[in-house]
């Protein structure tokens, strides 16, 4: 007799933490890449190699643009602070 | 002690009772609470408990954070759903695991009694994870038939 079963088991989650501040650009890029693509351990070697090479290229692109986003956000915050008479704080933000 | 990763047994029964509504349309509110290594939550956990929960810090407060769900879908013969990552900022936390639970269940139990914060699943981080005046992020796996956080296969 064939049994029909329902299988449920939660997979492992990833936990990333930081100290004395928010996540680094590398950590954010790693989080994004894990959502964008998953390289199976069981993939054929040639496909796996291509996927890993693609991931490497994606890493460089994301690093550049996440860093750009962080710089631009700081620039916007600095401008708001500067325009409201907080030049000293604006300078601190820019220097991060 | 440590948490034991599992889908809670009570959750499986409650699925049959229509207690849990996932997704984005009139969905229940699901939350994630963090626990220290002293906890013994596991398959037998039926509801949220503050026992051995991590202390309030930064944006983390007792009960944990809300999870943003996505619409349930299917992949081949597997049904699945997912949550957006959850993060607690400016927090000093050491956690060994987590409990996902439903703070607004859609139905009562089979006897008609209301359920309070019924448990969904327990997550074991394998080791203590620590943030110090920083960010504590829990990222859920890829939402596919093999890896999604909640799957019925």
């Amino acid at each position: 007799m064939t049994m029909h079963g329902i299988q449920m088991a939660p997979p492992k989650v990833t936990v990333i933490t930081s100290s004395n501040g928010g996540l680094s650009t590398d950590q954010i890029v790693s989080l994004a890449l894990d959502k964008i693509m998953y390289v199976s351990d069981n993939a054929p070697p040639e496909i796996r190699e291509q996927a890993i090479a693609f991931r490497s290229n994606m890493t460089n692109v994301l690093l550049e643009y996440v860093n750009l986003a962080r710089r631009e956000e700081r620039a916007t915050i600095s401008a708001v602070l500067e325009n409201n008479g907080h030049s000293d704080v604006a300078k601190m933000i820019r220097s991060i | 002690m440590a948490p034991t990763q599992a889908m809670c047994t009570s959750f499986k029964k409650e699925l049959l009772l229509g207690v849990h509504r996932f997704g984005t349309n009139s969905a229940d509110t699901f939350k994630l609470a963090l626990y220290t290594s002293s906890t013994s939550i596991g398959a037998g956990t039926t509801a949220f408990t503050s026992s051995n929960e991590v202390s309030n810090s930064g944006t983390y407060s007792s009960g944990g954070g809300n999870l943003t769900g996505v619409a349930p879908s299917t992949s081949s013969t597997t049904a699945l759903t997912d949550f957006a990552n959850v993060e607690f900022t400016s927090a000093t936390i050491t956690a060994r695991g987590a409990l996902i639970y439903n703070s607004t269940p859609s139905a009562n139990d089979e006897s008609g009694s209301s359920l309070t914060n019924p448990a969904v699943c327990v997550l074991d981080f394998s080791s203590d994870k620590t943030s110090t005046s920083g960010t504590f992020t829990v990222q859920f796996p890829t939402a596919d038939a093999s890896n999604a956080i909640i799957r019925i296969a």
Side-chain angles (χ1 to χ4, degrees):
Chain A
M1 188 176 75
T2 303
M3 291 292 289
H4 297 280
I6 293 178
Q7 298 168 358
M8 300 173 71
K12 288 288 180 187
V13 297
T14 304
V15 178
I16 294 183
T17 62
S18 65
S19 294
N20 301 312
L23 300 181
S24 69
T25 300
D26 285 346
Q27 288 175 309
I28 293 168
V29 167
S30 174
L31 285 169
L33 278 170
D34 286 346
K35 284 289 184 183
I36 292 169
M37 63 181 297
Y38 168 73
V39 184
S40 170
D41 290 337
N42 301 323
E46 57 274 17
I47 292 176
R48 189 172 161 74
E49 281 176 24
Q50 280 190 352
I52 290 171
F54 178 70
R55 186 180 170 102
S56 177
N57 288 338
M58 288 287 291
T59 300
N60 293 331
V61 172
L62 286 174
L63 279 172
E64 183 178 342
Y65 281 92
V66 171
N67 273 326
L68 176 63
R70 299 180 85 139
R71 279 199 305 273
E72 292 303 309
E73 183 71 4
R74 286 199 294 271
T76 301
I77 293 168
S78 294
V80 171
L81 290 168
E82 193 88 51
N83 292 338
N84 286 279
H86 302 291
S87 303
D88 50 341
V89 184
K91 189 178 175 184
M92 285 172 65
I93 297 285
R94 272 196 302 272
S95 67
I96 292 174
Chain B
M1 303 294 276
T4 303
Q5 179 136 335
M7 281 291 175
C8 297
T9 306
S10 57
F11 169 70
K12 298 173 186 175
K13 182 183 79 171
E14 289 158 4
L15 281 180
L16 303 179
L17 294 169
V19 171
H20 302 277
R21 183 176 173 89
F22 292 91
T24 56
N25 183 15
S26 302
D28 298 340
T29 300
F30 292 89
K31 303 186 76 167
L32 180 143
L34 297 172
Y35 291 87
T36 70
S37 58
S38 299
T39 188
S40 57
I41 55 174
T45 300
T46 58
F48 164 75
T49 172
S50 59
S51 177
N52 295 308
E53 185 184 10
V54 301
S55 302
N56 294 350
S57 180
T59 60
Y60 187 91
S61 57
S62 182
N66 286 2
L67 293 170
T68 303
V70 302
S73 60
T74 57
S75 174
S76 184
T77 56
T78 299
L80 59 102
T81 192
D82 188 24
F83 297 111
N85 297 347
V86 60
E87 69 174 25
F88 306 101
T89 56
S90 306
T92 297
I93 291 172
T94 296
R96 170 61 196 261
L99 174 73
I100 295 176
Y101 67 96
N102 184 348
S103 65
T104 60
S106 290
N108 296 335
D109 68 13
E110 67 272 30
S111 66
S113 301
S114 62
L115 293 157
T116 303
N117 297 322
V120 173
C121 66
V122 173
L123 304 172
D124 178 8
F125 300 155
S126 300
S127 61
D128 277 346
K129 305 293 183 185
T130 299
S131 65
T132 306
S133 301
T135 301
F136 193 105
T137 301
V138 178
Q139 183 179 43
F140 294 102
T142 306
D144 61 26
S146 304
N147 301 288
I149 185 69
I150 296 176
R151 288 165 287 140
I152 302 177

